[in-house]
Amino acid sequence: MSRFADRSGPIRLGMVGGGQGAFIGAAHRVAARLDGEYTLVAGALSSTPDKARASGEALGLAADRTYDDFTEMAKREARLKDGIEAVAIVTPNHLHLPVAREFLKRGIHVICDKPLTGTLADAKKLAALAEKSDALFMLTHTYAGYPMVREAQERVARGDLGTIRLVQVEYAQDWLAHAPEADNKQAAWRTDPAQSGAGGATGDIGTHAWHLARHITGLEPESIAADLQAFVPGRQLDDNAHVMIRFQGGARGTLWCSQVAAGLENGLRIRVFGDKAGLEWRQENPNELRVTEIGGPTMTLTRGLAATSDASRAMTRIPPGHPEGYFEAFANLYGAAAAAIRHRRSSDGLPEGIDFPSVVDGLEGVSFVDACVRSSKRNAAWVTL
């Protein structure tokens, strides 16, 4: 049950991190306002006071709702009659646990960027906090918000592919192929173990690939064998990983994530093969899903067609032929969170049919990174998750 007297109108949103020059904070703000479900009213947008105030002013936040410190923000917003109902956490990974803790214990819903945390120990602590809290916790694995990802999930679930045999997923980029850390704040924290955590590419993009494979197939992992590299001299965290996966029931998988693959920009791709058919989806062409029955021609499904599932079409915003992409997928997750938050204004639990990545998905992602590191240290030995 909501602690707020006023339960009408847009959801009052706060943000921690995401100040001037931060890409992911801007993406969250676009997603939050795309459907008019949220209004940003407060923020601790930077750990640097001058930048925090300048960022708040640029976004039109009131001076007394622009904070230098997230703890101060959580305490004061919890006391206000019109205080925030939810907070978006868009900080480096090492801050996810302390920030989320302050808001969860005050009953404020949390929308957190992935990965859940930088270390498995912190992930377990945060999962326990979220379990005990009355507030909701949503993790922004953005790619789960694409209509054709949902279509792939639906087709696997209803048995179109038959028994799943093989899963191949990759997420490859080239933006860290050299050492831009000195000149690029986004690169600097992602390659710093103190801020990023145990994983480099595995934590930053490998967790996206891992979640996509789990989300579409529903397969439960049994063990993995990982070979991690830091190709750039002096880099302390992995920038490339090859991972073999054994799933319960006998299916096998491979996951490749890299941030040193020259010529690849945001190459997230998944292929799933069963004993009846296979499918393929690519993030850089997200409005299409390729499906091939064994012995048959390849069928290219496009977003919004009558041949797609109700669940997929429900995530489609504009008519076929008008491209939808990253911001719309992000907004689909924010929309699901909004429906759950609105439901909580007057009731407990979740409304029927609401699905978004949770703290459980986040814990699984950090467990994957931890297993990769353990395996690679043992010369790519098989380890359980």
Side-chain angles (χ1 to χ4, degrees), residues 40-345:
L40 184 68
V41 298
L45 302 170
S46 174
S47 58
T48 304
D50 288 345
K51 186 175 181 180
R53 288 190 286 272
S55 298
E57 182 178 3
L59 293 173
L61 298 183
D64 65 346
R65 306 290 288 276
T66 301
Y67 301 88
D68 297 341
D69 176 76
F70 64 81
T71 301
E72 175 196 359
M73 174 180 166
K75 290 178 178 178
R76 184 168 185 270
E77 290 294 322
R79 293 194 300 264
L80 294 174
K81 182 179 179 180
D82 62 346
I84 62 170
E85 297 174 81
V87 64
I89 301 175
V90 291
T91 65
N93 304 342
H94 71 295
L95 291 172
H96 289 183
L97 171 60
V99 175
R101 179 194 291 124
E102 293 300 322
F103 291 92
L104 285 172
K105 71 183 183 182
R106 293 175 171 88
I108 296 171
H109 307 299
V110 170
I111 300 170
C112 185
D113 203 54
K114 62 83 231 163
L116 183 63
T117 59
T119 68
L120 183 56
D122 279 357
K124 290 178 178 178
K125 291 176 184 177
L126 183 44
L129 287 169
E131 179 68 25
K132 293 177 183 177
S133 176
D134 291 332
L136 297 167
F137 190 101
M138 192 269 278
L139 197 71
T140 52
H141 273 300
T142 316
Y143 307 105
Y146 279 103
M148 298 314 283
V149 167
R150 177 60 64 85
E151 180 66 21
Q153 182 189 49
E154 290 285 313
R155 286 175 178 263
V156 170
R158 73 189 186 201
D160 289 13
L161 275 63
T163 300
I164 302 302
R165 293 171 169 171
L166 302 170
V167 181
Q168 295 183 329
V169 62
E170 63 184 54
Y171 199 158
Q173 306 169 330
D174 68 358
W175 75 292
L176 293 179
H178 299 291
E181 286 88 335
D183 304 315
N184 187 320
K185 181 179 178 180
Q186 300 302 315
W189 77 256
R190 283 174 169 82
T191 56
D192 176 10
Q195 298 183 78
S196 182
T202 47
D204 191 28
I205 58 176
T207 50
H208 270 314
W210 179 255
H211 179 263
L212 187 67
R214 294 273 289 107
H215 180 69
I216 287 177
T217 68
L219 294 174
E220 293 291 338
E222 186 175 87
S223 57
I224 62 126
D227 183 22
L228 275 55
Q229 299 82 37
F231 279 112
V232 174
R235 184 164 287 164
Q236 299 179 68
L237 294 174
D238 60 275
D239 51 29
N240 186 85
H242 293 87
V243 185
M244 293 190 295
I245 310 162
R246 291 172 177 166
F247 292 104
Q248 294 178 16
R252 295 293 185 262
T254 59
L255 184 152
W256 171 46
C257 63
S258 181
Q259 292 175 315
V260 296
L264 296 182
E265 295 176 347
N266 205 53
L268 175 59
R269 179 178 76 161
I270 185 167
R271 295 186 291 179
V272 182
F273 304 97
D275 60 4
K276 293 182 180 178
L279 60 78
E280 178 180 8
W281 179 81
R282 295 173 179 253
Q283 190 275 151
E284 291 180 329
N285 189 15
N287 293 286
E288 293 184 356
L289 177 70
R290 293 165 58 88
V291 180
T292 307
E293 293 185 3
I294 292 177
T298 296
M299 176 174 56
T300 300
L301 295 167
T302 56
R303 177 196 49 78
L305 289 179
T308 59
S309 65
D310 291 343
S312 173
R313 292 198 304 276
M315 301 177 78
T316 298
R317 294 166 172 274
I318 52 179
H322 300 78
E324 289 184 10
Y326 184 76
F327 288 133
E328 291 86 354
F330 224 132
N332 282 336
L333 297 187
Y334 263 85
I341 292 168
R342 290 187 182 282
H343 184 79
R344 282 292 183 91
R345 283 174 166 177

